[in-house]
């Protein structure tokens, strides 16, 4: 193998890896949910714009910063989920009510799972979240309205009925 051949191979390999990194970044940016990837020390490797938007982080570059540094009020059950994911588990929560230190309440659907490095060892975790606050509030409002209607009907001794006309 000549130096020119080796140099051409090396250059092609670098280009291939650059293209892979660009595709991964595009995937993260356009994912339908918020995505963040962490190393074993829970330092950010990457986070999508939606992650920053959903958590009110603006345009901050999170790379290299620890999760607890960004979210000092991280709920205890999330810390436990991180620990379990680093041990190899995949965990999911369909509706998780989060109360942040600033008084804000946010409902999230999330999944956390380990990712494997080139040696097939756990390199860290990836977290997918979806802000479902609007839907949860709508469900709570509907439940309250139904409860009020039931109390009103019972207090007024009013019944309900339906009538179907048979077509003949």
């Amino acid at each position: 193998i000549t130096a020119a051949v080796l140099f051409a191979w090396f250059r092609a390999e670098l280009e291939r890896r650059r293209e892979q990194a660009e595709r991964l970044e595009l995937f993260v940016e356009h994912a339908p949910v918020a995505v963040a990837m962490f190393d074993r020390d829970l330092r950010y490797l990457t986070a999508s714009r939606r992650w920053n938007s959903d958590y009110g982080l603006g345009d901050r570059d999170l790379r290299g910063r620890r999760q607890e540094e960004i979210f000092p009020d991280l709920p205890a059950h999330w810390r436990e989920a991180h620990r379990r994911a680093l041990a190899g588990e995949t965990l999911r929560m369909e509706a998780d009510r989060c109360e942040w230190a600033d008084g804000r309440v946010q409902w999230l659907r999330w999944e956390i799972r380990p990712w494997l490095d080139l040696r097939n060892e756990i390199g860290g975790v990836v977290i997918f979240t979806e802000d479902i606050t609007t839907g949860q509030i709508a469900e709570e409002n509907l439940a309250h309205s139904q409860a009020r209607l039931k109390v009103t009907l019972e207090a007024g001794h009013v019944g309900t009925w339906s009538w179907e006309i048979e077509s003949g």
Side-chain angles (χ1 to χ4, degrees), residues 43-60:
R43 291 186 187 281
Y44 280 88
L45 296 174
T46 189
S48 66
R49 284 187 194 136
R50 183 157 177 188
W51 181 277
N52 283 23
S53 173
D54 283 359
Y55 296 107
L57 301 173
D59 290 333
R60 292 171 65 182

Side-chain angles (χ1 to χ4, degrees), residues 21 48 55 58 83 96 99 102 122 125 151 156 159 163:
S48 66
Y55 296 107
R83 186 193 65 72
D96 190 8
E99 294 182 35
D102 63 6
I122 295 173
V125 297
V151 168
W163 180 31

Side-chain angles (χ1 to χ4, degrees), residues 102-121:
D102 63 6
R104 186 171 44 102
V105 174
Q106 187 176 30
W107 284 89
L108 300 169
R109 176 181 300 129
W110 55 262
E111 177 175 314
I112 181 171
R113 60 178 45 231
W115 59 267
L116 302 178
D117 63 17
L118 296 175
R119 295 180 310 264
N120 211 29
E121 296 174 358

Side-chain angles (χ1 to χ4, degrees), residues 9-160:
W9 174 86
F10 183 71
R11 194 173 181 167
E13 184 64 18
L14 282 176
E15 180 63 20
R16 186 182 69 78
R17 289 185 185 206
R18 186 190 59 75
E19 287 174 0
Q20 284 178 329
E22 286 175 1
R23 280 194 298 274
L24 177 60
E25 191 166 325
L26 283 171
F27 169 77
V28 168
E29 285 305 312
H30 297 287
V33 296
V35 180
M37 187 174 189
F38 300 86
D39 66 13
R40 289 198 58 78
D41 295 323
L42 294 176
R43 291 186 187 281
Y44 280 88
L45 296 174
T46 189
S48 66
R49 284 187 194 136
R50 183 157 177 188
W51 181 277
N52 283 23
S53 173
D54 283 359
Y55 296 107
L57 301 173
D59 290 333
R60 292 171 65 182
D61 183 7
L62 303 175
R63 283 177 289 183
R65 299 183 69 190
R66 291 186 51 82
Q67 176 78 318
E68 290 85 11
E69 181 183 345
I70 303 301
F71 298 108
D73 55 339
L74 196 67
H77 70 281
W78 280 19
R79 293 176 197 269
E80 177 64 11
H82 294 156
R83 186 193 65 72
R84 289 173 59 187
L86 285 168
E89 288 185 62
T90 295
L91 298 105
R92 292 177 188 84
M93 179 75 73
E94 286 301 315
D96 190 8
R97 186 176 192 272
C98 300
E99 294 182 35
W100 300 105
D102 63 6
R104 186 171 44 102
V105 174
Q106 187 176 30
W107 284 89
L108 300 169
R109 176 181 300 129
W110 55 262
E111 177 175 314
I112 181 171
R113 60 178 45 231
W115 59 267
L116 302 178
D117 63 17
L118 296 175
R119 295 180 310 264
N120 211 29
E121 296 174 358
I122 295 173
V125 297
V126 62
I127 303 173
F128 305 91
T129 67
E130 183 177 10
D131 187 332
I132 58 170
T133 304
T134 303
Q136 285 298 125
I137 290 171
E139 284 183 28
E140 288 174 0
N141 289 340
L142 177 61
H144 285 102
S145 293
Q146 289 172 331
R148 284 192 307 263
L149 177 60
K150 181 180 177 186
V151 168
T152 303
L153 291 174
E154 288 173 356
H157 301 288
V158 176
T160 60

